[in-house]
């Protein structure tokens, strides 16, 4: 018995399925926007959310399958509003010593 070789679907097949899914899941205004325009946008949103939630870059990189260097090069601009939380952690650490 011969096992058939696995073949990847053409990119256009993924693109058409994603477009159809967006049209069904989103409102017309959302579908007309850049929201989740590509499947990769979901990955980007996920990793950005992890980093903004305070997940250490080393852990986020591991989960995303990146090196820390690549993760920070791509996502550093997405990390916002963590200044105050970082200052609190530093102040707390200094009080403990």
């Amino acid at each position: 018995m011969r096992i058939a070789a696995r073949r990847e679907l053409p990119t256009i097949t993924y693109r058409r399925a994603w477009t159809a899914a967006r049209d069904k899941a989103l409102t017309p205004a959302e579908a007309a926007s850049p929201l989740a325009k590509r499947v990769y946008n979901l990955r980007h949103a996920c990793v950005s959310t992890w980093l903004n939630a305070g997940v250490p870059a080393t852990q986020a990189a591991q989960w995303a399958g990146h090196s820390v260097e690549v993760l920070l090069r791509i996502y550093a601009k997405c990390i916002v509003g963590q200044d105050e939380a970082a200052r609190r952690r530093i102040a707390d650490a200094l009080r403990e010593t």
Side-chain angles (χ1 to χ4, degrees):
M1 181 169 85
R2 187 167 181 224
I3 298 174
R6 288 182 138 188
R7 293 187 181 153
E8 289 186 28
L9 292 173
T11 301
I12 190 66
T13 304
Y14 289 109
R15 194 175 307 138
R16 286 178 180 150
W18 184 251
T19 300
R22 277 183 85 247
D23 289 343
K24 283 190 178 268
L26 302 176
T27 67
E30 290 169 336
S33 77
L35 176 67
K37 196 71 165 177
R38 300 172 299 153
V39 174
Y40 183 79
N41 296 131
L42 297 178
R43 175 184 169 81
H44 190 75
C46 181
V47 176
S48 298
T49 299
W50 292 341
L51 292 170
N52 279 303
V55 173
T58 50
Q59 183 63 63
Q62 182 183 5
W63 289 344
H66 286 308
S67 68
V68 173
E69 176 190 357
V70 168
L71 180 100
L72 293 176
R73 183 168 13 105
I74 295 170
Y75 295 97
K77 63 184 170 285
C78 300
I79 304 171
V80 296
Q82 294 187 10
D83 298 8
E84 192 56 40
R87 286 186 183 95
R88 274 196 310 276
R89 286 194 299 272
I90 292 167
D92 291 345
L94 292 173
R95 276 193 287 279
E96 291 175 10
T97 58

